[in-house]
Structure formats: C-alpha cells, structure tokens
Amino acid sequence: MSFENYDWSDVVPIEQDDGPDPLAQIAYDPEYSKAMGYFRALAQKNEHSERALTLTEKIIEHNPAHYTIWHYRQQILFSLNKDLYEELDFIRNQVEQNPKNYQLWHHRQVIVEKLKDCSLESSFTEEVLNDDSKNYHAWTYRQWVIRTFNLWDNELSFVEKLLEKDIRNNSAWNQRYFAIFYNPTKPSEEFLEQEVQYGITKIKLAPNNISPWNYVKGVIAKSKLKIDVLEELCKTLYQQGIISPHALGCLVDIYEDRAKCGSINEKELGIQTCILLAEQHDTIRQKYWNYRKHVLASIA
Amino acid sequence: MTSTEKTERPSELFIDLHVKYIQSLDTKKDDLEYWLTEHLRLSGVYWGLTALDLMNNVDALNKEEVVKYVVSCQHDNGGFGGHIGHDPHLLYTHYAVLILQIEDSLDAVNVEKIVEYVASRQDRQTGAFTGDEWGEIDTRFSYSAISCLSLLKRLDAIDVKKATEFIMLCKNFDGGFGSTPGAESHAAQIFCCVGALAIVNSLHLVDADLLGWWLCERQLKNGGLNGRPEKLEDVCYSWWVLSALSILGRVHWINKEKLIDFILTAQDLETGGIADRPGDMVDVFHTLFGLTGLSLLGYPGLKLVDPVYCLPKYVVQRVGLAERYHAKYGGGFT
Ligand SMILES: [Zn+2]
C-alpha cells in the first residue's frame, strides 16, 4: 500500500521551521514537504505502524541522506517484527540508485547485525563492486562483514578476480593487504615471499602504476625481506627501456639504504637517479626528488 | 559574456564573481537541488561563510542572522542538527562551532553542553567516535570531535590517548589513512587523521616522507589532484591533499603553477563559483575548497587559511591555537 492510501486524517502535520533570514524559507517539493510534515508528527509520538513505515520509504525516496529517517525506520521494522530479508531487498534497490550514501550502508549493517546472517552479503557487495570496483562504502562494509563473521578464507580469491580484471585497482590491492594482514591467522614467511613474487609479476604488467609498488613494499616491510629484492626488477625494467618513476624511485630507496650503511658508490648512484627523476622522468614532482637527493647527499 | 570568452582558460581568480555567487545561493531556493540538500544546510553556511571570509567579504552574510540561525540548530543535549528541527549530529556540531568562531560569537551558545555532546560521541573502549548515537565509526568523526573540542579549548573532556590510538589503527602500509582500520587510504581521510594528530601534538606518529610521497603522487599531468590512485582529478582534493602536505611542511612537493592553473580553469565565469573540474556545474563546496587550495598555494588577494582547522588563519590566531603544530616541521608555506 502506498503512502497516499493510508488514512492520515488523525495526524496534524508539523511544518518545517526555517528560521530567520539570510537563509530562510526553502520552497520544498510539495510532496516531500507533506511527507515530512507527517513524519515530524509521527516521530513526536513515536508511532510504530505500517503507515509510518511507508512514510519513511517515501522520504527516503526523496532524500536518502536524511539521517534521522533511517533510525526511525529501524525502530519500526524491529517493533513490527517485519521480514528483514525483505528489507535487504529494499536496501539493494536503494543502493543501486545511491551507491555512495553513508546512511544506507550503515542501515544494512544494522539489519544484518539483527539478522545474524551474512549469507547474502558477499554476493551483495560483489554486485556493487562490479558496477564500481572502487566504491569506498562497499569495501569498508565488506571488511566489516569479513571481520564480524570471520569470512577470511575466500577473500584472496575474490581479490584475485578483481585484479585480473583491473590491475590498477588500488582498492583491490588494499583489500589484498587486508585479507592477509588483518586475518587473525598470521601469514608464514614463505607465504610473504610468494606474495612479493606475485607483486613483481603484476608490476611487470603495469610498471607505471603505483598500487602494486606500494603493495609489495608494504609486504616487504612486514617480512624478513629487504627492499633489495626489487633491485633486479627495477634494473631489468630500465634496461628494457621501460621508464617507470616508481622503479627508479625504488632504486633510490635501495641506494639510500646502502648509502646509510657506508657505501659511497651507491650514494652517488642514488643522487644520479634523483637527478634523472627530477629533470627527466618525473618533472612534475621535481621538488620531491630534489629533497630525496638532498637527504642522500647529507648522509655522512 | 560571449561563448568564445567562456572557453578561454581563465588566468586569474574572479573574486567578485564568486562573492556574488555565494550571496545568490540564498535567493535560489526554488532549485530542486537546494531543497534536496536541505539536511546539509548548516554545512552550506560554513562553506559559504569561510569562502567569503577568505575573499575578504565576511560581511556579505549578515552576522546577526547567521548566528541566530546556528543557535536555532542546537538541541537540549548540546549537539547541533544540519538544519532547524533536524537531529543532532557530530559533523553539524563541528560546523556550528567553526561558524561561531568565524563570527566570534561562541557566547551565543551553551559551550558546556556542546562539550558534553561531543565527548559522549566517543567510545571509551576503542577511542573511536560515532557521528550520532546510532551511527557508524569513521576517522572523519575523530577529526570533527578533536577539532571542535580544541576550538573550545576542552580537549580534556575526551580520552585523547585512546582517540589517537584509534586513528593510528587506521594508518596503512602506504603511509596514508582510511576511515576504519584496514580501509583504503583516501586523501580526505588523510586530511582528517593528520589534522587530528596535529591538534593533539602527535605528528611524530606520521611517516611524513612516505605519506608526503603518496600525497604528491596524487598530482596528475593536467595539474589537478585526485584522492586515490587512478581516480579522476577534482578541485576539492586541492584542499584534502594540500592541507595534509602543508601540515607536514611539504606543500612545495606538488607543482604549484600547474595546480593553480587547474583550479582557475574550474571557475565558471558566467555564474561565478568553482566546479569539481573544468566544465562541470559549480557548487559552494568546491568553491570553498578551490579557494582554500589557492590560499595554501599563496595565491594573492586571499586571506591565509589554516591547514588544520580549515578556518581563516586569523580566526585560529584569535582563538590562540595557531602555529603549535608547525613546531616539528616548520613553516609549511614554502
Ligand atoms: Zn570533489
């Protein structure tokens, strides 16, 4: 039954008070205004009814970012003992239209917490990520589901799928890190070495993309490995004529490490690489590379 | 204005046009968009007022009426709603305090109640903050709470140590920060986390070189900045990225001329205002963050903006909070 079909004759709508100028009276859409007038009246007496539920739907349709409405809707759903799986359907439809609405995603979390059932959530977030593989809300929500319901096991293969589709997807790289290092089961040293190799393979496919570089460095930092393991990769790329500021920058990291251990030769190599980056290959970040050069030069 | 003029790349900032644009927002109440964003009203006032102040036109909005409006958004529990009659929320409470500080009118509200409300948003176990009593956790809210209480000189009302610990749980392998522990680094979240850490004197916890690199890597060939790798450039990231770099004393790591050019090109010379990128519709949000970006880059004719509070610097100085966080990294405007 729709909003218009309910009997509202007993409700005295409460109008919006828009306050003083300079930011006064807004000409609201009349339908929305009417619904909001009823909402204020019902919320005041905390009415939990079918018509109130329909009313929340009406308002959400118009303005899903109205944060108060969601909590009111949850109260009604719970006190009327509504079928929460239907609510999950409702949310799915809403998310399709407003994939970046904070309130919607939080609402889903509240409903799933109440249901204590996460069986639909993986496929739901997957669907949303198929449309927009970088939707921040979807990823954060997915992490919440994994943590709350202990769903760590299949996450790496999911990430794998996304990275095969788009190797430049930074969100997927972040999720890969999450799946490995936020998992209560800690990865073995061997596993981390494989991970670095995996990253190297991917870097070769997109040497100019920052994501796998950051990822591999992140994994190295968590392992017993040192950044030197990337030296061969960086040099091979360069020899093949593939100029990647990330590869050259990684060499700067490696040379800096060695310069700190006393290598004068590598200190000079590091400085030369910084000059190359500042003057030829990454001129837009010239000041950054000049800074790195300065740091290298001041190593005693 | 002819169409050929419009397509020309603007080479200067048209302050008069932008002032008129913000003033006109008030009269465009029939716009569909305007009533849809009604719940954002208080933030709109903050964006508009700060932009006007930076353009030396704070009086373009009547002070008395602005303050009266803000006061009318406060609830008995101390929190502010996004508009009159809307439920209280931490974000709007923060905006209210920012506006009141610009107008130098804190005495118009019950400060003790605000402090109580903001402090009640902290989960004492984790140190994290929620936006309202039912809402989600997010480092945006940590920033709002910390900035707000700092502007009220009442950081003692929360557990700062725990709050800091939670923010640090959100630090990522790439040096950036996300909304929750494990969430992807995002320039807007980085601004929130670095800003909050600056206020509580904990910038030493930031890996400034690593994060600085991530931030300056956001600059694209066209000069604009994006918020995450492989995303589109957007004028508002001129603020999120630059403010964090500025707090870390590394604004100069991005190419200033190219970014200024990008922001100026996003101006609408017909309606005034700045859009998210050249050619798009303008809005007050991107107008402010275009201006704050230019201010951090030292663009002439604008007041200096404070990178931590996103207030005109003189306001932060008047409150007596300026420069504390520069101790470690020095200036930041080089
Ligand atoms: Zn934007």
Side-chain angles (χ1 to χ4, degrees), chain B residues 234-237 240 276 285-286:
Chain B
D234 181 328
V235 160
C236 67
Y237 290 106
W240 310 120
D276 58 354
F285 177 86
H286 289 94

Side-chain angles (χ1 to χ4, degrees), chain A residues 63-123:
Chain A
N63 187 5
H66 195 302
Y67 49 93
T68 310
I69 261 320
W70 293 100
H71 179 66
Y72 186 46
R73 183 171 175 88
Q74 287 153 15
Q75 288 177 312
I76 300 169
L77 286 167
F78 298 157
S79 72
L80 298 186
N81 252 320
K82 300 298 284 187
D83 179 356
L84 295 183
Y85 291 99
E86 270 179 31
E87 187 64 6
L88 291 184
D89 278 341
F90 171 75
I91 297 170
R92 164 190 265 128
N93 287 330
Q94 290 295 318
V95 167
E96 264 173 37
Q97 296 157 46
N98 295 288
K100 293 186 177 165
N101 173 276
Y102 281 100
Q103 284 76 21
L104 256 173
W105 287 96
H106 185 65
H107 181 60
R108 179 127 190 149
Q109 183 177 324
V110 171
I111 300 299
V112 169
E113 254 169 351
K114 187 82 175 177
L115 272 173
K116 295 191 174 62
D117 175 8
C118 64
S119 56
L120 299 170
E121 299 320 286
S122 289
S123 58

Side-chain angles (χ1 to χ4, degrees), chain A residues 1 3-11 38 47 51:
Chain A
M1 212 155 106
F3 162 74
E4 288 79 9
N5 296 338
Y6 283 98
D7 180 14
W8 297 95
S9 56
D10 60 313
V11 185
Y38 287 138
E47 178 179 310
R51 71 174 177 185

Side-chain angles (χ1 to χ4, degrees), chain A residues 270-288:
Chain A
I271 289 172
Q272 291 310 317
T273 312
C274 287
I275 294 173
L276 207 59
L277 280 158
E279 288 172 8
Q280 276 188 49
H281 301 311
D282 197 23
T283 50
I284 200 165
R285 274 167 282 279
Q286 188 172 56
K287 297 266 172 57
Y288 171 76

Side-chain angles (χ1 to χ4, degrees), chain A residues 129-185:
Chain A
L129 291 170
N130 272 336
D131 283 343
D132 174 7
S133 62
K134 294 168 187 171
N135 183 319
Y136 202 85
H137 303 273
W139 282 111
T140 313
Y141 178 72
R142 193 174 168 94
Q143 292 191 345
W144 174 79
V145 173
I146 292 171
R147 262 202 197 101
T148 309
F149 297 95
N150 211 7
L151 299 177
W152 300 92
D153 290 353
N154 300 318
E155 197 54 11
L156 265 188
S157 57
F158 172 68
V159 169
E160 185 75 61
K161 230 172 27 184
L162 287 190
L163 285 178
E164 257 158 44
K165 241 195 266 172
D166 176 13
I167 197 180
R168 292 174 175 80
N169 184 345
N170 193 61
S171 307
W173 283 105
N174 183 73
Q175 187 75 350
R176 191 170 182 94
Y177 190 92
F178 174 79
I180 295 170
F181 294 103
Y182 286 75
N183 189 329
T185 315

